[in-house]
Amino acid sequence: MKNFITAILAWAGMIVAASLANCATAGDSASAPTLKDAYKNDFLIGVAINQRQFTGEDTNGVALITSQFNAISPENVMKWALIHPNPVTNAYDFGPADDYIAFGEQHHMFIVGHTLVWHNQTPRWVFQDENGRLLNATNAADRELLLQRMHDHIQTVVGRYKGRIKCWDVVNEALNDSSSLNDTNLLRRSSPWVRILGVDFIVKAFQYAHEADPDAILRYNDYSIENPAKRERLITLIKYLQSQHVPVMAIGSQTHANLSWPGVELEDSFLTEVSSLGLPTHITELDVNGSQGGQRSQSADITQNAQANGGGSQVDSAPEKLAQQYANLFKVFVKHRDEIKLVTFWGVTDADSWRRNGKPLLFDGNWQPKPAFDAVIKAAQP
Ligand code: XIL
């Protein structure tokens, strides 16, 4: 009998423990500190979200998004290939983007649009004529056609969400990626936008976006701009745009970090130098890659992501190193709170991440906060 009672008590204890574990997502506890509260006097805290989240299917993800964050970015659904896959007039697929924006409005979040003009996730037809011939920089009619397409795209997409999307990544990753200070090419030569239109595509993209929504904050967004060569190119580009009165209104620093890069000094000097441009800075795609492959590469080029994902192997003590790197970065962000208006994480949980092998986010695949979450909360305290 005694054994039976002991067994029942043990079983009941297991059930209680299991249900407590199930409930213990960071979003559930009313008293636990949240990211958006911890940084409410500093900057907005955003997150990139996917379709399962903004349609409500991923209920645990939604609980975290609505409790922890006050800004959202669309991880994929507003990229050209997804929102405007076909060339024929009105061949837009607005459904997912409409749902994304409805989600943001329902939860009173700051809604970001990502991204209007990029060389990746853009259909091939954009850079071809009706016969499949590549458009050519030396042909005035070709250039005109590409500008016309870009104009129609920006006017249609920005115009549709005018006043609702508060901030747009207008141009993504246009700078030359070389780490050599001697490489004097400003822009990324492998981009068809650069090859066909040169710097004009950046000028026009911002002008068209501003025409379509004069109140939207227009961002130039790129990665590895902390590093000396790319940082210098960023400053040259933005100063040129400013000299031409191009409406570039914020710098987006993607900040796809790893466990040691960017270091505190590099990040600090980057934020200081960039602030001299007189524009606010947004940290737009923050994650900290803990995979072995990710320690060798600082590139966030999506075509090289397999290497950065590191085949699944984490470095030793990755969770502790992750927490330390997040703490370091957030301390620098707080130091620069006057210039930084928004810090956005590139995904909710490790399982959602484009670098899921690197377990780069604050919540694990079971929606539980990791040591890095506590480190970020703690970094907010003076
Ligand atoms: C990534 C998404 O997270 C992936 O789901 C997709 O397969 C590729 O693009 N820089 C950017 C983002 O500006 O749009 C990229 O997002 C990550 C790098």
Side-chain angles (χ1 to χ4, degrees):
M1 184 66 175
K2 197 168 160 233
N3 281 348
F4 176 72
I5 290 174
T6 314
I8 290 277
L9 285 177
W11 173 77
M14 266 159 58
I15 298 230
V16 170
S19 55
L20 279 177
N22 282 339
C23 294
T25 57
D28 287 344
S29 165
S31 57
T34 64
L35 297 168
K36 65 182 177 188
D37 278 350
Y39 288 94
K40 65 176 186 294
N41 297 324
D42 302 311
F43 30 72
L44 294 174
I45 298 282
V47 64
I49 65 175
N50 63 36
Q51 200 154 0
R52 294 186 57 252
Q53 292 161 339
F54 60 71
T55 56
E57 200 186 318
D58 172 7
T59 47
N60 291 318
V62 170
L64 281 181
I65 294 162
T66 54
S67 59
Q68 297 289 336
F69 303 93
N70 46 23
I72 49 172
S73 293
E75 185 178 3
N76 283 302
V77 297
M78 300 197 90
K79 292 170 181 173
W80 194 313
L82 288 100
I83 203 169
H84 188 187
N86 295 309
V88 282
T89 320
N90 297 327
Y92 288 84
D93 182 6
F94 287 124
D98 286 356
D99 291 345
Y100 161 76
I101 285 148
F103 177 91
E105 288 180 340
Q106 188 194 343
H107 298 291
H108 312 290
M109 302 178 103
F110 181 84
I111 304 174
V112 171
H114 172 85
T115 176
L116 294 171
V117 186
W118 190 22
H119 58 283
N120 283 319
Q121 292 180 279
T122 303
R124 242 177 248 180
W125 63 261
V126 174
F127 308 108
Q128 298 173 344
D129 73 3
E130 324 53 82
N131 304 316
R133 179 185 58 85
L134 258 187
L135 302 180
N136 192 322
T138 58
N139 181 329
D142 281 3
R143 292 168 60 94
E144 205 43 55
L145 177 62
L146 185 54
L147 279 177
Q148 187 60 48
R149 279 185 185 149
M150 187 171 93
H151 181 257
D152 292 350
H153 178 81
I154 292 178
Q155 196 177 46
T156 306
V157 177
V158 176
R160 182 180 181 90
Y161 302 113
K162 183 175 179 214
R164 303 170 72 194
I165 291 203
K166 303 294 181 200
C167 173
W168 272 103
D169 284 327
V170 177
V171 173
N172 204 27
E173 304 178 354
L175 288 170
N176 174 9
D177 212 10
S178 155
S179 58
S180 164
L181 280 162
N182 299 325
D183 187 336
T184 53
N185 282 302
L186 186 68
L187 302 179
R188 179 190 288 270
R189 280 168 302 167
S190 60
S191 158
W193 292 109
V194 174
R195 275 207 309 267
I196 301 165
L197 294 172
V199 74
D200 277 1
F201 94 86
I202 306 178
V203 170
K204 297 289 185 198
F206 278 96
Q207 287 171 346
Y208 297 158
H210 191 51
E211 270 164 37
D213 187 351
D215 294 326
I217 299 167
L218 303 182
R219 230 159 49 181
Y220 176 77
N221 192 46
D222 214 325
Y223 64 83
S224 297
I225 46 179
E226 300 83 353
N227 289 341
K230 218 164 166 185
R231 189 197 297 189
E232 208 171 292
R233 293 184 198 115
L234 173 79
I235 288 170
T236 306
L237 172 67
I238 302 299
K239 282 191 171 157
Y240 169 75
L241 296 176
Q242 290 175 326
S243 76
Q244 303 300 301
H245 308 289
V246 174
V248 54
M249 302 172 193
I251 305 297
S253 177
Q254 293 184 8
T255 324
H256 289 293
N258 68 26
L259 296 171
S260 60
W261 180 90
V264 167
E265 278 175 28
L266 186 71
E267 185 65 21
D268 189 22
S269 75
F270 163 71
L271 291 169
T272 302
E273 195 173 346
V274 154
S275 73
S276 71
L277 293 165
L279 301 178
T281 303
H282 296 186
I283 305 297
T284 53
E285 305 184 8
L286 180 62
D287 53 16
V288 175
N289 195 341
S291 81
Q292 292 187 353
Q295 309 318 301
R296 290 187 285 275
S297 162
Q298 295 164 4
S299 175
D301 191 332
I302 67 166
T303 59
Q304 291 166 29
N305 197 34
Q307 290 101 293
N309 229 337
S313 45
Q314 292 268 295
V315 309
D316 290 346
S317 314
E320 294 75 31
K321 289 176 181 158
L322 189 88
Q324 188 57 56
Q325 173 67 323
Y326 267 116
N328 290 348
L329 288 173
F330 270 85
K331 280 182 200 148
V332 183
F333 298 160
V334 169
K335 180 177 172 195
H336 290 272
R337 52 188 286 233
D338 289 345
E339 304 106 72
I340 295 182
K341 300 296 168 210
L342 167 65
V343 176
T344 294
F345 290 85
W346 204 243
V348 182
T349 74
D350 288 339
D352 306 318
S353 170
W354 73 310
R355 290 182 157 171
R356 59 186 64 80
N357 291 335
K359 300 194 164 70
L361 295 168
L362 303 188
F363 300 96
D364 68 19
N366 292 317
W367 302 276
Q368 301 302 313
K370 295 159 52 179
F373 173 84
D374 300 324
V376 170
I377 295 284
K378 215 168 139 211
Q381 287 143 21

